[in-house]
Amino acid sequence: MSSTLERHAVAVGGLLVGEGPAVVIDGRVSLRERHGRADAHEVLRERATRAAPLLVEPLSAADLPAIAALAGAVVVGSSWTRDIPLVRAAAGLGLPVVVERRALGTLEEWLGLADYCA
């Protein structure tokens, strides 16, 4: 890897994640499930009224402006881990990025994706 990854606490909505006990966030939205049939802004505006921070998995890069405006973090789902331009664009939002590891993905691949985000 080209950089050293360090552990830091990260604010996800109003929660501080990374220091102290584990935090469970129940506010994940996958825009992939809608297969592009719903406007990302509409879906996220409806979900953003809830108290929990919103973690959102984009369908494509077109969803990133809505995610930047309304989400607490972006999720790069395991099926998108090979889409490096999407990973870089998601990291460029300035939000925390949750990278899911593919079932057959190696630890080196997963850490490499984290390095792209850093």
Side-chain angles (χ1 to χ4, degrees):
M1 278 184 266
S2 62
S3 67
T4 302
L5 298 177
E6 297 177 20
R7 184 177 172 170
H8 296 282
V10 176
V12 178
L15 297 174
L16 193 59
V17 179
E19 287 186 350
V23 175
V24 177
I25 300 173
D26 181 32
R28 179 177 171 162
V29 175
S30 176
L31 296 172
R32 293 185 61 220
E33 296 170 355
R34 290 158 178 82
H35 305 287
R37 293 186 301 259
D39 177 61
H41 277 89
E42 285 181 29
V43 172
L44 298 181
R45 256 188 249 117
E46 176 186 312
R47 293 292 304 266
T49 59
R50 299 179 186 173
L54 198 57
L55 277 71
V56 183
E57 179 183 12
L59 173 65
S60 69
D63 296 329
L64 295 179
I67 291 171
L70 299 166
V74 60
V75 176
V76 175
S78 58
S79 54
W80 295 124
T81 56
R82 294 186 184 243
D83 187 345
I84 301 305
L86 179 63
V87 172
R88 286 185 174 170
L93 295 178
L95 295 172
V97 179
V98 177
V99 179
E100 292 182 347
R101 184 173 169 215
R102 294 180 303 113
L104 298 176
T106 66
L107 179 60
E108 289 78 20
E109 289 173 325
W110 186 64
L111 290 173
L113 285 167
D115 196 36
Y116 279 121
C117 293

